[in-house]
Amino acid sequence: MTSLSVKVDDVHVDYEIFSERRAGLRQRLVGGKGSGRRVIKAVNGVSFEAFRGDAIGLLGSNGSGKSTLLRAIAGLVEPTSGEILVSHEPKILGVGGALMLDATGLKNIKLGCLAMGMTKDELAEKVDEIVEFTGLGEAINRPFKTYSSGMRARLLFSISVSIQPEILLVDEALAVGDRNFKDKARVKIESLLANAGTLFLVSHSTGEIERLCNRGLWLENGKILADGPIADVIAEYGVDT
Amino acid sequence: MTVHDDPHPESDVEDQGLFSLNESVSSRAYVADIWKRRDFALSLPIEELQSQHLDTFLGNVWHLFDPVISAGIYFLVFGVFLGVGAEVDNFILWLVIGVFAYDLTASTISGGAKSIAGRQGLMRSFRFPRAIVPISNALGHLLSFGFQFLVIIACTFATGIGPSRRWLLLPVVVLLHSAFNLGGSFIAARLNDSFRDMQEIVPFFLRLMRYTTGVMFPVETFFGKNALIDFVVRANPLVQLINFYRWVLIGADLNIGLSALALIESFAILWFGFRFFRVAEYKYGKA
């Protein structure tokens, strides 16, 4: 018996772009021409089902809608239309995003864990392990704003992987940090994957996707071009690009 | 579009218990989720207070100086130049209490308006009930108010008034005041998220409130001449909320009817603000 973990039903995600600046009251009221409004269809009618045991690699060129789709599944972006159903709250591993710039790395770890819903006791139990995983050493007590982009990514990644999710979404998180950390990150993701029901992976490395995934989804212009066993989809993707 | 063989034929699919992350949960479940993350809601402002003002020489002492200096200026203008303090007992203390209490509302609501925009990073990285953002903002301002309160206490002792049994009612007053402030923050936060222009409008609104809530002169002094205006001004719950502090601390008069109205209004604003904020729950942090 296989169980459904994610059901995506005719999902559209539109972005409204204001070419001038963020919508002001005047623009909202006047609207129409000259307000610089454009609608971008990042995800344009995507439907599929994912099951426990699926490790799905998302393929497609830049701007094809992979990350937006992933963020929609994570509940961080609301679909303009269509429906996404999940069996458990998905956890997205991303490298973007800033936490509290003025606070130290350590405090950011604590806040991030609490934001994910850990209790103070759970946090106390895990915090050393997370600090250790970041490999930031003394820098952990420096303000987040002094970190390089690689260090920031490592910190965020380490927070994200501290909880074992049932549905795991990984957005380019494997490209984090230096080579040492990358290896560590890969091992960690593989172990999370071993216990996770379902994995979605966005990566620019086809090799990585092929190794970690058993199913492929190829997106282009917000639409699914191919869905099937990873080797077949990669073969098609490779032929076309 | 190429679709390969379905590895999972429809027949043995179990799709029990699927849910949507974009469907709003019941208020009870929502509040339970906030309660579950109470450590988060509290750590956020504590962290911010610690890292704020670190770059200024006097650091957190500014939290105390700011309203004290304002109160000093108001004393000069309203007490000395305009002489409105003559009809008020204990004018200096009366003024200090008003300024501190009003500042709590003003800073909570203007901070609440900006709170969603200021937490984009956290909201993009983690899923949690968004109401925590304005709540933790309100908690933060309440914490600094706690320190400021020491100044009020010191002034009370300095003027020889000292503690009375009424002081036991202080937590109730603070609770009511916080309900009002939080409700206002919820409203300001949602409005500001839809229209960034709100950020520019809120300060004017707060300034208008400052002059109509009896912070530096009794509302009766200027608004008492016209019965309708008088009622409109005094029906503002904030007028009575500020007066509660004065009633508790220095024995100012209390209007029972208007006080009861303020109590109802404060909780109504909290209730309305919470619902109003939640309507856009899934839009915060996604723009």
Side-chain angles (χ1 to χ4, degrees):
Chain A
M1 184 108 142
T2 46
S3 61
L4 200 53
S5 55
V6 178
K7 186 177 167 138
V8 175
D9 188 13
D10 194 25
V11 163
H12 294 253
V13 180
D14 298 345
Y15 282 124
E16 267 183 43
I17 305 288
F18 296 88
S19 48
E20 304 278 302
R21 60 186 177 94
R22 179 80 163 77
L25 187 59
R26 188 174 54 83
Q27 287 179 325
R28 287 277 167 117
L29 293 177
V30 180
K33 270 184 193 167
S35 62
R37 258 184 62 187
R38 275 198 307 149
V39 174
I40 305 239
K41 294 182 179 301
V43 176
N44 193 5
V46 165
S47 300
F48 67 90
E49 291 180 340
F51 300 84
R52 198 160 203 288
D54 277 356
I56 301 175
L58 294 172
L59 299 153
S61 47
N62 285 337
S64 58
K66 306 177 301 262
S67 292
T68 306
L69 178 60
L70 215 58
R71 295 172 60 76
I73 296 171
L76 294 170
V77 171
E78 192 183 22
T80 315
S81 69
E83 192 177 45
I84 298 174
L85 298 175
V86 294
S87 61
H88 298 82
E89 187 161 311
K91 177 84 203 76
I92 191 162
L93 290 193
V95 293
L99 300 174
M100 307 253 304
L101 291 175
D102 290 321
T104 64
L106 181 62
K107 290 206 166 131
N108 271 296
I109 290 178
K110 292 181 177 171
L111 285 172
C113 289
L114 294 173
M116 291 194 298
M118 274 192 204
T119 64
K120 270 207 156 141
D121 293 340
E122 286 169 318
L123 173 64
E125 214 172 281
K126 282 197 167 154
V127 68
D128 291 339
E129 193 188 316
I130 299 170
V131 170
E132 167 81 33
F133 191 85
T134 63
L136 289 173
E138 284 299 303
I140 204 74
N141 291 317
R142 272 176 22 205
F144 190 74
K145 64 182 171 198
T146 65
Y147 285 17
S148 69
S149 57
M151 290 162 80
R152 290 180 185 202
R154 276 159 68 172
L155 189 86
L156 268 167
F157 180 87
S158 309
I159 297 170
S160 305
V161 296
S162 63
I163 283 185
Q164 167 72 52
E166 176 65 25
I167 301 171
L168 179 63
L169 314 172
V170 183
D171 189 0
E172 294 289 352
L174 296 161
V176 160
D178 50 30
R179 203 162 134 214
N180 233 338
F181 191 80
K182 254 183 228 174
D183 291 343
K184 204 157 70 164
R186 213 189 50 236
V187 171
K188 184 74 184 181
I189 286 191
E190 280 168 11
S191 90
L192 286 178
L193 177 56
N195 298 309
T198 310
L199 169 87
F200 288 83
L201 175 67
V202 170
S203 169
H204 280 112
S205 155
T206 324
E208 203 130 63
I209 287 188
E210 190 158 26
R211 202 163 38 78
L212 288 168
C213 301
N214 53 31
R215 178 177 165 190
L217 268 183
W218 177 13
L219 255 77
E220 219 57 70
N221 297 319
K223 287 186 175 7
I224 294 184
L225 281 190
D227 177 2
I230 190 66
D232 300 4
V233 176
I234 284 182
E236 263 179 79
Y237 178 67
V239 170
D240 262 43
T241 47
Chain B
M1 174 159 153
T2 329
V3 177
H4 298 266
D5 288 343
D6 186 352
H8 310 285
E10 215 53 52
S11 55
D12 58 337
V13 166
E14 175 203 4
D15 64 349
Q16 311 276 288
L18 288 189
F19 59 94
S20 166
L21 291 173
N22 293 304
E23 227 152 69
S24 76
V25 296
S26 70
S27 289
R28 179 190 285 254
Y30 190 80
V31 172
D33 202 3
I34 294 173
W35 180 245
K36 195 183 135 204
R37 286 174 165 83
R38 59 190 180 278
D39 288 332
F40 174 52
L42 199 59
S43 309
L44 213 49
I46 291 178
E47 173 44 45
E48 196 144 67
L49 280 181
Q50 284 174 347
S51 46
Q52 250 175 23
H53 290 304
L54 279 183
D55 42 357
T56 53
F57 177 59
L58 289 170
N60 281 314
V61 179
W62 279 114
H63 283 303
L64 299 182
F65 278 2
D66 194 291
V68 168
I69 295 170
S70 304
I73 293 171
Y74 292 143
F75 178 72
L76 206 62
V77 174
F78 292 92
V80 178
F81 300 158
L82 296 174
V84 288
E87 53 206 276
V88 180
D89 295 335
N90 238 320
F91 184 63
I92 293 185
L93 203 49
W94 188 93
L95 190 62
V96 167
I97 294 170
V99 169
F100 278 63
Y102 182 80
D103 273 3
L104 175 60
T105 294
S107 57
T108 306
I109 292 181
S110 64
K114 295 176 207 146
S115 63
I116 294 289
R119 296 273 181 247
Q120 295 284 336
L122 266 181
M123 289 193 292
R124 281 185 189 165
S125 307
F126 304 107
R127 249 183 79 85
F128 54 84
R130 299 319 191 200
I132 286 182
V133 173
I135 289 174
S136 68
N137 167 69
L139 282 172
H141 290 290
L142 194 59
L143 281 175
S144 358
F145 181 69
F147 291 112
Q148 294 174 349
F149 215 84
L150 298 175
V151 174
I152 298 181
I153 302 284
C155 291
T156 329
F157 280 109
T159 48
I161 292 178
S164 75
R165 224 176 289 165
R166 275 193 197 162
W167 283 32
L168 294 174
L169 286 169
L170 265 178
V172 182
V173 174
V174 171
L175 186 76
L176 257 182
H177 190 195
S178 301
F180 174 85
N181 293 343
L182 187 55
S185 313
F186 279 141
I187 297 168
R190 162 133 185 241
L191 288 178
N192 191 52
D193 192 62
S194 314
F195 308 108
R196 286 291 152 89
D197 304 63
M198 278 306 291
Q199 212 163 304
E200 314 299 326
I201 297 167
V202 164
F204 293 116
F205 176 73
L206 291 173
R207 200 173 305 162
L208 177 68
M209 293 259 280
R210 186 187 288 274
Y211 289 100
T212 54
T213 50
V215 175
M216 48 278 214
F217 52 84
V219 284
E220 296 83 3
T221 311
F222 294 112
F223 305 110
K225 286 153 196 139
N226 178 313
L228 179 66
I229 295 178
D230 182 55
F231 177 75
V232 170
V233 166
R234 290 205 294 165
N236 179 349
L238 193 52
V239 174
Q240 306 304 326
L241 287 168
I242 292 174
N243 194 48
F244 283 155
Y245 286 99
R246 291 171 177 151
W247 174 71
V248 166
L249 292 165
I250 56 174
D253 293 335
L254 197 66
N255 182 319
I256 302 293
L258 287 171
S259 302
L261 182 64
L263 189 144
I264 297 167
E265 284 170 326
S266 299
F267 282 109
I269 285 170
L270 177 60
W271 178 82
F272 171 79
F274 180 69
R275 316 248 333 188
F276 183 71
F277 180 84
R278 280 202 61 199
V279 172
E281 173 81 12
Y282 299 102
K283 299 203 160 49
Y284 303 127
K286 293 176 186 177

